[in-house]
Amino acid sequence: MIPLLSPEESRALDRHAIDGLGVPGVVLMENAGAGACRALVERFRGRLTSPVIFGGPGNNGGDAWVVARHLENAGVATVPVLVGERAKISGDARVNLAALEAIRGRVHEGEVDFVSLCSGATVIVDGLFGTGLDRALGGAFAAAVRAMNASSAPVLALDIPSGVHGGSGAVLGSAVRADVTTTFAAHKLGLHQHPGVAHAGEVLLVSIGVPAPESATAMLLERADVARAVPVRAVDAHKGRAGRVWVCAGSPGKVGAARLAGLGALRAGAGLVTLAPRGEVARALAGAIPELMVEALPQNVERAVELLAERCDAAVVGPGFGLDGAAMAVSLGIARGLPVPTVLDADALTALAGSPDLSLAGAPAPRVLTPHPGEAARLLGTTSGEVQADRYGAARRLAAATGATVVLKGARTVVASADGDLRVCPFGTPALATAGTGDVLAGAIGAFLGAGLSPVEAASSAVVVHALAGEAAARGDRGLLASEVADALPAALEHCRGALPS
C-alpha cells in the first residue's frame, strides 16, 4: 500500500525532516523544485520555448522559483509571475525568489494580464498554493487560475493543483486543471478523490531528499496487497473448506440482485453459496444458476439467525431483500445477532438507517457495510452531495458510528475501519456505474470473509478485484453487465497475484 498524507501529516513530515533529521527547509524546497523541473523537462521537452511559471506568496511559490531558476540555468528563458503580495513572502520562499531575480531580473507582479501571458505560454507551471489551502480562491488568484485553465498550454502543478483541497479533493471555488502533478515526498489524499483526481492529471511522486513515510492513516491500495491477503488455495482444498456463504437476498421483482450477489460470491471463490430469499421467491430463484443452492429463509427472526449460524461461515444480507416490515426486521435481526461475519448491503442498509441506533459494535461478529453515497447519506442523516464533498470524512464518520468496516462505493472507493484508518482503491471504470455491480461486490466481500480474511482485508481485496474485473470486462465507458464483472473476478485475482515479485 502507498501512504496518502493529509495536509496535517504533510506539515508534520516537513517538521520532522527539519527538526528531527536536521535537513534545512531550503534544502527540501530545492529538492522539490529541482525534481519538479526534471519532470517538466521529461514530460514537455518540446514545449520549453516560453514557460510561464506562477508562484504564490507561500512555500509552493518557493518551489516554483526553484523550477524557474533551474530552467534559466539550463538556458530556458522563463516568464515567472508572482501572484499575491511580495511583502508576505518569507523564509525559504524569499531566499529562492531572490536567487531567481539575481539571475534573470525582477519577476512579473502587480497588475498583470494573466490571460495575455498564458495565451503566449508553451507550458505553464502552477505554484500558487499547496496542500495547506483551506479557503476558496478569490481575486488575483482566481483570475490566474481561470487564465491557466483557458490556455491551450499544458499545465504542471506543484504538489497539488491550486484550489484543490489537500485532504478531501474538493475544489475550493475554482482550481487549476493540470495535465501533470508532481507531488512531493508522498501522495496526498486530495489527489485520490474526485474532483481532485480529474484536476491532478498524471501524478508523479518527487523525492525531497528525506525518507518517505512507510505508512499513514490512509493508504492507496495496490494489486500486490490483494495477492498478499488472499492465499493461494491448497492443492487438496475442497468446497467445505473454501467458505460457505449464505446470501439473504431477493424479493418479488428483485430476484436479479440475489443472483448477482450469489454469482459474485462464487466467482470470488466461495466453496458453497446458498441464496436465502424469503418465502415464495425461492421458487423463482431455484435452478436459475445451477451452481447456486436456494433455501427459503424462515420468517421468524430468531429462527433465521439460528439457521444461518448453523450453516454458513459468512453472510450477505440486503440485495433486493425488500423494505416491508418483515424484511426489515429480519435484516436488523441478522445485523445485530448473527455470530458470523456479515456484509450489509442495499435494503439492509436502509433498514439500519431507519433504526434508532446505528451501532453494530455489540454484534457477535464483524460487519461490513457497503453503501453508495445515497445510502451513506441516509445513515448519516445528511445529503449525498455532502457525502461526495468529503468522502473520506463521511466514510470515517459512518465507521465510527456503526463500529463496522465501511465500503463507500463510487469512483475511488473508500474502505474505512472503525479505528479511523482508510484505504482507497485507485482502479475502476465509469462502466461500473450500472445496476447490479454493487450486488456482485457484496457477494465477493462475503466470499473473502468466508475464506477467513479480516473485515478490512476482505473488503479491500474485493474492492480491488471488483474494480479490475470491471476494467477488464468493459468495452468502453458504458454497456457493461454486472454478470460480466462477476465472470471476470477470477482472472482479476490472478492479475493481482502477478504483481508480486517472483
Side-chain angles (χ1 to χ4, degrees):
M1 291 186 285
I2 299 170
L4 296 178
L5 302 191
S6 68
E8 295 76 19
E9 288 172 320
S10 296
R11 287 192 290 270
L13 178 64
D14 287 343
R15 285 195 302 271
H16 173 67
I18 296 169
D19 299 333
L21 301 179
V23 181
V26 71
V27 173
L28 300 178
M29 188 172 287
E30 177 69 19
N31 290 341
C37 186
R38 287 192 295 272
L40 178 72
V41 172
E42 289 171 5
R43 286 295 188 274
F44 305 110
R45 185 178 300 274
R47 304 190 65 98
L48 298 178
T49 306
S50 183
V52 174
I53 301 175
F54 285 92
N59 284 342
N60 201 240
D63 299 331
W65 311 137
V66 175
V67 172
R69 173 165 50 81
H70 277 271
L71 288 175
E72 292 282 347
N73 288 341
V76 177
T78 65
V79 183
V81 185
L82 168 61
V83 185
E85 299 177 36
R86 179 179 284 260
K88 292 184 177 180
I89 304 174
S90 62
D92 303 328
R94 179 178 286 276
V95 169
N96 277 296
L97 177 58
L100 172 63
E101 291 186 319
I103 292 173
R104 59 96 50 213
R106 201 168 177 88
V107 304
H108 295 268
E109 61 183 304
E111 297 294 326
V112 176
D113 185 347
F114 300 129
V115 173
S116 177
L117 285 178
C118 288
S119 66
T122 54
V123 68
I124 296 171
V125 174
D126 162 37
L128 294 181
F129 289 101
T131 59
L133 185 69
D134 59 3
R135 65 188 185 281
L137 294 179
F141 298 109
V145 169
R146 288 194 297 272
M148 283 189 255
N149 288 343
S151 172
S152 61
V155 178
L156 181 141
L158 302 179
D159 210 18
I160 195 167
S162 296
V164 171
H165 190 279
S168 68
V171 168
L172 299 169
S174 59
V176 169
R177 285 193 172 273
D179 297 275
V180 174
T181 295
T182 51
T183 198
F184 303 134
H187 283 264
K188 312 303 188 298
L189 280 166
L191 297 173
H192 293 282
Q193 281 297 301
H194 288 275
V197 173
H199 282 262
E202 180 187 9
V203 178
L204 303 176
L205 183 62
V206 170
S207 171
I208 59 172
V210 295
E214 295 182 358
S215 64
T217 56
M219 304 291 285
L220 191 68
L221 291 164
E222 300 178 280
R223 291 186 295 123
D225 298 318
V226 178
R228 285 186 282 265
V230 182
V232 175
R233 188 169 285 177
V235 294
D236 63 345
H238 60 77
K239 63 186 178 183
R241 292 210 311 246
R244 302 167 301 161
V245 178
W246 276 51
V247 179
C248 304
S251 60
K254 295 183 179 179
V255 295
R259 291 170 180 161
L260 289 168
L263 185 61
L266 281 174
R267 289 298 195 185
L272 294 161
V273 180
T274 301
L275 301 185
R278 295 180 303 129
E280 73 280 3
V281 177
R283 289 194 297 273
L285 287 170
I289 299 176
E291 297 86 354
L292 290 171
M293 296 177 288
V294 180
E295 183 168 338
L297 200 66
Q299 299 291 326
N300 178 272
V301 176
E302 291 75 15
R303 181 65 193 118
V305 171
E306 290 174 4
L307 175 66
L308 292 168
E310 294 169 358
R311 305 279 290 277
C312 69
D313 302 306
V316 178
V317 184
F321 198 52
L323 294 173
D324 57 276
M328 294 178 75
V330 172
S331 292
L332 286 174
I334 293 172
R336 300 195 187 283
L338 183 62
V340 301
T342 302
V343 181
L344 303 181
D345 184 49
D347 291 346
L349 297 175
T350 300
L352 182 62
S355 68
D357 182 12
L358 291 183
S359 178
L360 298 169
R367 301 294 184 251
V368 178
L369 277 56
T370 57
H372 57 57
E375 291 163 340
R378 287 196 291 274
L379 287 160
L380 291 169
T382 184
T383 67
S384 58
E386 289 173 324
V387 168
Q388 290 294 81
D390 184 7
R391 285 170 54 82
Y392 296 131
R396 276 188 168 130
R397 290 195 304 276
L398 187 52
T402 60
T405 298
V406 170
V407 176
L408 180 55
K409 296 183 291 194
R412 303 284 170 129
T413 291
V414 177
V415 178
S417 64
D419 60 6
D421 284 349
L422 295 176
R423 297 183 181 185
V424 184
C425 176
F427 309 109
T429 166
L432 282 165
T434 188
T437 56
D439 303 319
V440 172
L441 175 60
I445 297 173
F448 288 147
L449 286 173
L453 274 64
S454 72
V456 171
E457 293 294 352
S460 301
S461 299
V463 163
V464 169
V465 171
H466 180 266
L468 291 172
E471 289 183 3
R475 298 170 182 82
D477 65 355
R478 63 199 69 200
L480 180 65
L481 300 181
S483 59
E484 295 174 319
V485 178
D487 289 343
L489 290 174
L493 176 57
E494 287 306 304
H495 182 50
C496 290
R497 288 175 171 158
L500 283 179
S502 56

